[in-house]
């Protein structure tokens, strides 16, 4: 598990490149809340937008995640707890005035960048 980095994943880098290509500037892996330790993958502080690129395995994508055969029940509980923690952190950020955008790692960067740009332009 220690081998897996929590930032600079390939899907995150692809979204960052696409937004940068579109002229958008942002902060990476920056803490935004004093109430929870969550660190969004991309942060637009002036617009108060936090962007997360969730991995299909760790965040238990219903379309792509598969449980390991060994200790399947343990993994199911752990991954469901990850989803619950994500929902709690998102609720805290929303209460603090942040707009939270979440994307799955399997989404195309161009498709994920469009809603981010739309939110920034509002």
């Amino acid at each position: 598990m220690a081998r897996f980095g929590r930032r600079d994943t390939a899907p995150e880098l692809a979204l960052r490149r696409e937004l940068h290509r579109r002229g958008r500037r942002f902060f990476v892996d920056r803490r935004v809340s004093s109430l929870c330790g969550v660190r969004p993958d991309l942060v637009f502080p002036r617009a108060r937008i936090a962007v997360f690129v969730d991995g299909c395995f760790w965040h238990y994508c219903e379309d792509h995640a598969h449980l390991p055969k060994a200790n399947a029940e343990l993994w199911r509980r752990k991954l469901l707890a990850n989803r619950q923690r994500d929902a709690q952190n998102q609720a805290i950020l929303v209460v603090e005035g942040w707009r939270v955008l979440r994307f799955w790692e399997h989404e195309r960067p161009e498709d994920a960048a469009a809603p981010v740009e739309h939110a920034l332009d509002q």
Side-chain angles (χ1 to χ4, degrees), residues 7 20-22 26-27 34 37 40 53-54 57 59 68 72-74 77 79 84 94 100 103 108 115:
R7 64 173 276 185
H20 200 272
R21 185 186 67 75
R22 295 180 182 203
F26 43 81
F27 290 94
S34 60
V53 180
D54 293 338
F57 177 76
H59 298 271
E73 183 57 29
L74 172 106
R77 283 195 315 269
L79 298 176
Q84 184 178 23
V94 168
V100 178
F103 303 100
R108 292 180 46 229

Side-chain angles (χ1 to χ4, degrees), residues 43-96:
V43 179
F44 298 88
R46 285 192 182 140
R48 294 192 64 82
I49 295 174
V51 178
F52 294 89
V53 180
D54 293 338
C56 289
F57 177 76
W58 290 109
H59 298 271
Y60 204 38
C61 170
E62 294 177 6
D63 297 332
H64 298 104
H66 63 280
L67 293 173
K69 289 185 177 23
N71 296 321
E73 183 57 29
L74 172 106
W75 278 104
R76 188 184 70 76
R77 283 195 315 269
K78 176 175 179 39
L79 298 176
L80 288 174
N82 286 352
R83 287 184 76 170
Q84 184 178 23
R85 184 199 63 227
D86 290 343
Q88 289 171 343
N89 288 337
Q90 182 166 333
I92 290 169
L93 291 179
V94 168
V95 166
E96 291 183 342

